[in-house]
Amino acid sequence: MLILLLLGSLSFTSCSETQKNEADGATNNDSYVEDHFNKKEVTIEMRDGIKLHTTIYSPKDTSQAYPILLKRTPYSCKPYGANEYPANIGPNKYMMKQGYIVVYQDVRGRWMSEGTYDNMRAYIPDKQSEKDIDESSDTYDTIDWLVKNVNNNNGKVGTWGISYPGFYATYSAIDAHPALKAASPQACIGDFFFDDFHHNGAYLLSYFRATSLFGTPKDQPIDTAWYKLPDLKTEDQYQFFLDAGPLSNLNKYFQYDPVDDPGLRKENLVDDFFWQELIDHPNYDSVWQKKGIIQHLKNIKPSVATMVVGGWFDAEDLYGPLETYKTIEAYNPENYNTLVFGPWDHGGWARSNPKNTVGNYYFGDSISDFFQQEIESRFFEHFLKNDGDHNSGLPEAYVFDSGKKVWKTFDSWPPKNIVRQQWYLSENQKLSKTKGIEQKMTFVSDLKRPVPYSEDIKTVFTPRKYMTDDQRFAARRPDVLVFETEVLEEDFTLAGDILARLMVSTTGTDADWIVKVIDVHPADTKNNNEDLQGHLKMSNYHLMVRSEVMRGKFRNSFSEPEPFVPNQKTGVNIKLQDVFHTFKKGHKLQVQVQSTWFPLIDLNPQTFVPNIYKAKESDFTTQSHTVFTSSSIEFTVLE
């Protein structure tokens, strides 16, 4: 959910920086917005009396009526002040000049808005009074005020947003206001147990520094940051977290209130309400279940067209946009609902870099520009300015083949012409279509030497580039099992999700299981990226196409974890999110299996503990893990 510029890395912060990110390079004249728009700051009263800060940019040309584009955000509507203007506004540089009223709003409890903030506030389906509020009701009340009070609007509203604002865009379609005609959730959070801070029950330790952004208390409207990110005092996050030990040792970074005598402070007391929420709810209990939005997308009004956007290499939010699209599609067959996925990291489609790279990997030129001009702008124009029928001229699925590096269109996603193929993790490091006599492969998982998720020595706010990182460094470790095909004699295209069906055992009572799908490039591949890190070559590049973790104790239930029986063969299924990737002739398809991925995810003690946030140093033990050759990977293959 991290999209804006903060501390030198793309992550969360103000609306002004979001706007710059979304419409970067829109004009050489930084005064364009001021020259062509009137700015007005208002507070809009919600049904329960809480007032939300809202900034409205209206075209100075009042000769016609304009649709309204609304973005609700927890990251601030800066710059504040009637005479302060950002360099750019709107979803992209084209739409900024195409005639829209652009509105930004600080959501409840954030920045200049009143009220109490709740991380992924739960939807209330059966509201009994005006005190029953959620993001749906706040959006409804906001749109109702805008269409009644903003001059020269044409009565049609569209919502958009990337990351957390994408979550609010999704929310706008639930119990939607009649004026809402189009919503584009982009890299939208779907569920905090599967997006961002957790993946299948494993805590994303690499998001640790982002916690205070969401959990630092605020008791009044404010136009400057009230939170402070933890200072790790190092540039080596791997060593920092290894030295830190159990997660409970990190509590001190979330104790904000000063105490004259530190000795009087309770050891485990924290002031950050989000960190406390993580501690109190280590499993997928009713709290996380209620906050998830996917289950509430089964009754979207047909009057709201949706276009869900995501990046194949988005480290933060893959689950959210894919499940948002699929759920709306499954339960609302009469709706206009489309999917766009390109070769981007988090929010990459909103940038205007002519060269499209993720990390070290180059995908082509002007890919984001194509999306902005030919897809996003056309979507909003059709539904907010034209008749808004289902004949928008856009396909059901506009997806980028990250292997062939070309756009493709389909009338469904996944495509209709797919088959499921099962490949086995065979002995001698072979990935085979044939199941052989069962063998076992054992490795030692030493928690003092966990497998890094990246070769880089650095400290990040949130990780991103690892999604396309060269995986050779991992393949050469003894605690990473490698399986690969022979050199492919023809193209092999995956189009949909991947299911790893592992048969495993461990000498301990818990373990993490990580599966990575990798495109091994030929030895004669030439360098095509001038920004490639100096120690790398494209020759034999091991491109990570998809990866995922399963915390073993959640293998049967995310709500009721259970230990492994030591040395007992056990099934562990891991769903890897959708891909659209062609492994080209001359390449090899490789699968890696490992049990640590540090510090992308926290260390599993390899001993069953009820609550990982309360694990003790003594719980962490070195164990041996075994993978059996009856394990398989089920691919969705395009025929």
Side-chain angles (χ1 to χ4, degrees):
M1 96 191 119
L2 321 170
I3 172 183
L4 321 169
L5 289 171
L6 181 61
L7 300 181
S9 76
L10 283 165
S11 52
F12 338 64
T13 185
S14 73
C15 259
S16 61
E17 290 167 324
T18 308
Q19 290 153 217
K20 183 179 188 304
N21 190 32
E22 291 172 346
D24 187 32
T27 175
N28 292 325
N29 181 6
D30 285 345
S31 67
Y32 183 89
V33 177
E34 185 174 6
D35 292 343
H36 293 84
F37 291 85
N38 292 315
K39 179 182 180 181
K40 186 176 183 180
E41 294 181 317
V42 300
T43 55
I44 300 178
E45 186 170 333
M46 301 294 102
R47 62 191 65 183
D48 65 342
I50 293 296
K51 296 176 180 178
L52 305 187
H53 178 92
T54 309
T55 302
I56 304 166
Y57 296 93
S58 299
K60 289 183 176 181
D61 177 5
T62 58
S63 64
Q64 60 179 301
Y66 301 97
I68 296 171
L69 285 171
L70 170 64
K71 175 178 175 181
R72 306 185 67 243
T73 177
Y75 302 135
S76 161
C77 288
K78 289 183 179 180
Y80 297 112
N83 297 318
E84 298 295 326
Y85 285 80
N88 308 286
I89 58 174
N92 65 60
K93 60 187 178 185
Y94 302 103
M95 293 180 66
M96 182 173 69
K97 298 182 178 182
Q98 289 172 348
Y100 291 91
I101 297 167
V102 182
V103 179
Y104 295 90
Q105 184 178 77
D106 291 337
V107 298
R108 181 181 291 254
R110 296 292 286 183
W111 294 89
M112 289 295 288
S113 286
E114 298 176 349
T116 302
Y117 176 66
D118 187 356
N119 240 329
M120 289 193 72
R121 189 184 305 275
Y123 168 63
I124 302 174
D126 185 21
K127 298 177 178 63
Q128 299 298 313
S129 73
E130 291 185 348
K131 296 299 181 182
D132 289 339
I133 57 87
D134 54 26
E135 304 304 338
S136 173
S137 64
D138 281 357
T139 307
Y140 189 104
D141 294 350
T142 298
I143 292 176
D144 195 62
W145 189 95
L146 290 172
V147 296
K148 292 176 180 177
N149 292 278
V150 176
N151 293 332
N152 297 316
N153 82 81
N154 71 355
K156 296 181 179 181
V157 178
T159 55
W160 97 98
I162 300 172
S163 191
Y164 220 141
F167 164 77
Y168 294 112
T170 304
Y171 228 132
S172 72
I174 302 173
D175 299 336
H177 190 282
L180 182 67
K181 302 301 180 184
S184 184
Q186 303 179 6
C188 43
I189 312 167
D191 192 308
F192 259 171
F193 210 72
F194 306 103
D195 281 317
D196 291 305
F197 290 90
H198 297 98
H199 274 216
N200 292 330
Y203 171 61
L204 271 289
L205 183 58
S206 49
Y207 283 64
F208 163 76
R209 296 184 67 220
T211 306
S212 59
L213 180 61
F214 300 103
T216 305
K218 177 180 84 73
D219 57 7
Q220 61 184 354
I222 188 171
D223 62 3
T224 56
W226 65 98
Y227 53 83
K228 185 178 180 181
L229 305 183
D231 181 5
L232 306 188
K233 302 185 185 304
T234 180
E235 295 183 6
D236 187 346
Q237 64 177 6
Y238 181 99
Q239 196 61 48
F240 170 83
F241 286 115
L242 199 60
D243 292 342
L247 293 177
S248 59
N249 291 344
L250 299 176
N251 289 348
K252 62 184 179 183
Y253 289 94
F254 302 112
Q255 296 171 342
Y256 303 139
D257 293 336
V259 177
D260 292 336
D261 183 357
L264 298 176
R265 177 119 199 179
K266 292 183 179 179
E267 181 180 356
N268 294 320
L269 182 67
V270 298
D271 300 308
D272 189 290
F273 59 82
F274 184 40
W275 184 249
Q276 189 63 56
E277 190 170 48
L278 293 172
I279 294 172
D280 292 342
H281 304 282
N283 306 328
Y284 193 50
D285 59 15
S286 61
V287 169
W288 298 120
Q289 292 172 24
K290 288 179 181 178
K291 287 175 178 287
I293 198 171
I294 302 299
Q295 65 267 32
H296 300 302
L297 302 179
K298 298 177 180 180
N299 189 27
I300 303 300
K301 294 178 181 179
S303 57
V304 182
T306 49
M307 181 180 74
V308 183
V309 182
W312 292 129
F313 301 98
D314 189 334
E316 286 92 330
D317 298 299
L318 267 174
Y319 172 90
L322 288 167
E323 291 302 314
T324 295
Y325 166 78
K326 291 178 181 180
T327 303
I328 294 175
E329 192 69 14
Y331 290 94
N332 306 272
E334 301 303 315
N335 290 30
Y336 180 97
N337 177 50
T338 59
L339 179 76
V340 182
F341 254 78
W344 300 302
D345 60 5
H346 195 60
W349 51 93
R351 303 177 200 124
S352 61
N353 234 337
K355 187 176 181 181
N356 199 138
T357 61
V358 176
N360 287 294
Y361 204 81
Y362 169 70
F363 289 100
D365 293 333
S366 303
I367 298 172
S368 298
D369 188 78
F370 173 81
F371 163 76
Q372 294 170 25
Q373 187 167 199
E374 301 298 333
I375 303 176
E376 185 175 45
S377 296
R378 289 176 61 188
F379 168 77
F380 281 112
E381 181 178 22
H382 181 75
F383 289 100
L384 300 183
K385 293 186 176 185
N386 298 334
D387 59 17
D389 62 15
H390 284 201
N391 298 316
S392 67
L394 296 170
E396 173 74 16
Y398 227 136
V399 288
F400 192 91
D401 184 328
S402 54
K404 286 187 173 179
K405 302 180 182 178
V406 294
W407 284 103
K408 293 289 186 180
T409 63
F410 297 98
D411 57 9
S412 68
W413 185 263
K416 294 176 182 177
N417 53 326
I418 55 172
V419 295
R420 302 290 286 191
Q421 286 189 11
Q422 196 147 298
W423 292 64
Y424 292 91
L425 308 185
S426 303
E427 58 183 332
N428 298 321
Q429 297 190 321
K430 298 295 184 182
L431 186 62
S432 172
K433 288 184 178 181
T434 304
K435 184 178 182 180
I437 298 174
E438 186 173 79
Q439 305 288 331
K440 59 183 182 180
M441 296 150 287
T442 301
F443 63 94
V444 175
S445 179
D446 184 353
L447 298 186
K448 297 186 183 303
R449 295 186 65 253
V451 180
Y453 79 92
S454 170
E455 291 182 283
D456 298 340
I457 305 300
K458 63 180 182 182
T459 298
V460 299
F461 182 59
T462 58
R464 292 199 173 176
K465 68 173 283 292
Y466 83 94
M467 293 288 285
T468 62
D469 267 356
D470 187 345
Q471 297 299 307
R472 272 177 284 203
F473 77 95
R476 294 165 182 172
R477 285 184 57 117
D479 48 0
V480 176
L481 301 180
V482 177
F483 309 88
E484 66 181 25
T485 64
E486 300 293 338
V487 174
L488 296 175
E489 297 181 354
E490 57 184 22
D491 290 353
F492 182 68
T493 302
L494 303 185
D497 65 11
I498 300 167
L499 181 62
R501 300 178 183 274
L502 301 185
M503 295 302 300
V504 301
S505 67
T506 174
T507 56
T509 51
D510 196 9
D512 287 342
W513 303 96
I514 296 112
V515 173
K516 298 185 288 191
V517 176
I518 294 159
D519 184 341
V520 180
H521 289 42
D524 61 358
T525 304
K526 304 299 182 185
N527 291 350
N528 60 359
N529 180 10
E530 61 187 16
D531 297 323
L532 190 72
Q533 286 177 281
H535 69 285
L536 294 176
K537 303 293 181 186
M538 289 307 299
S539 173
N540 197 38
Y541 193 92
H542 284 39
L543 170 67
M544 189 165 74
V545 175
R546 185 60 74 238
S547 54
E548 192 54 277
V549 58
M550 171 63 74
R551 180 135 293 174
K553 67 181 181 180
F554 293 116
R555 65 195 179 277
N556 295 322
S557 169
F558 291 113
S559 302
E560 300 179 4
E562 57 188 273
F564 284 81
V565 176
N567 300 310
Q568 178 174 300
K569 187 167 69 173
T570 305
V572 176
N573 292 342
I574 309 171
K575 179 185 175 182
L576 286 71
Q577 300 298 335
D578 294 27
V579 301
F580 183 39
H581 185 89
T582 296
F583 295 79
K584 296 166 69 176
K585 177 182 177 180
H587 291 224
K588 291 188 287 187
L589 192 162
Q590 183 183 100
V591 171
Q592 294 182 5
V593 180
Q594 59 199 64
S595 62
T596 51
W597 209 13
F598 192 75
L600 181 68
I601 61 173
D602 66 316
L603 288 178
N604 188 318
Q606 306 187 142
T607 301
F608 179 86
V609 293
N611 188 333
I612 187 62
Y613 298 96
K614 298 180 180 180
K616 304 183 297 294
E617 189 81 45
S618 58
D619 294 323
F620 291 77
T621 57
T622 293
Q623 300 291 347
S624 294
H625 303 320
T626 296
V627 175
F628 294 85
T629 57
S630 51
S631 301
S632 65
I633 309 291
E634 188 175 290
F635 294 114
T636 306
V637 181
L638 185 67
E639 290 189 314

